[in-house]
Amino acid sequence: TNLRELAGLAASLEDLIDKEAIGRLETAYEVHNLPRDRPITPDQAEEVLRTYYVNFLIAGNFSADSRWEAVQKTKRFASRYTGWDAADNWLHGLLQPRITGKTAFDFAETTRMVEDIGEEYYKFNDMECLELKSTLRGMEGKKPGR
């Protein structure tokens, strides 16, 4: 495999990931009955992005037929997901600078925020992994082996 083929593969994967993310965002817009051809309010943007984020966290295994159902499932997910407070705080910290002071968001802007979630999530995930590693190390016995 040469470098050019590897670069082509990477570009194809990135395109596939982007299309999947946009598809999940479109689904979140539909569930919340929001127009993609007109701007939405900051509250609507936060709600639709939170629905997207829950879908992202559970790898696309999220479905709802209405805004009410999506909000209820998000609440249920939040109550069961042990790291929800930290995950939600991370999302809030990522989105707040992009939302503060704005009065409306078009689909392209929320798409960029979804792309940011995908591109930046590894930082939060790494932090969770380090915490888990520390917890597991604290549980290790003093004797080598079993």
Side-chain angles (χ1 to χ4, degrees):
T1 311
N2 65 33
L3 192 54
R4 188 170 294 155
E5 290 172 339
L6 189 57
L9 176 62
S12 295
L13 285 172
E14 185 175 359
D15 186 54
L16 180 64
I17 291 166
D18 287 345
K19 285 180 181 175
E20 181 180 358
I22 291 168
R24 287 182 183 174
L25 180 61
E26 288 172 342
T27 300
Y29 264 74
E30 288 169 15
V31 164
H32 287 270
N33 199 26
L34 296 172
R36 289 184 310 194
D37 60 344
R38 291 188 315 275
I40 61 175
T41 68
D43 288 342
Q44 291 171 322
E46 284 190 67
E47 194 171 82
V48 78
L49 289 165
R50 186 158 282 109
T51 297
Y52 167 85
Y53 185 52
V54 169
N55 195 5
F56 175 85
L57 290 174
I58 57 177
N61 192 19
F62 182 90
S63 63
D65 294 322
S66 68
R67 177 189 168 274
W68 182 86
E69 186 179 2
V71 169
Q72 295 306 309
K73 285 186 172 186
T74 297
K75 287 178 183 176
R76 192 171 330 127
F77 175 80
S79 71
R80 294 179 181 169
Y81 186 69
T82 54
W84 176 253
D85 287 339
D88 193 45
N89 286 337
W90 176 84
L91 179 66
H92 183 76
L94 180 71
L95 298 180
Q96 208 53 46
R98 294 156 176 83
I99 291 176
T100 301
K102 295 199 74 167
T103 58
F105 298 88
D106 62 17
F107 188 75
E109 288 171 300
T110 55
T111 298
R112 283 190 294 278
M113 287 187 260
V114 158
E115 290 169 350
D116 290 345
I117 291 169
E119 290 171 7
E120 298 293 321
Y121 184 74
Y122 78 93
K123 294 175 184 175
F124 174 72
N125 193 47
D126 283 352
M127 182 181 65
E128 278 193 319
C129 288
L130 289 173
E131 289 173 7
L132 178 60
K133 183 178 179 181
S134 176
T135 299
L136 291 174
R137 283 216 166 126
M139 296 168 65
E140 271 184 330
K142 303 288 184 205
K143 294 181 184 178
R146 295 179 187 227

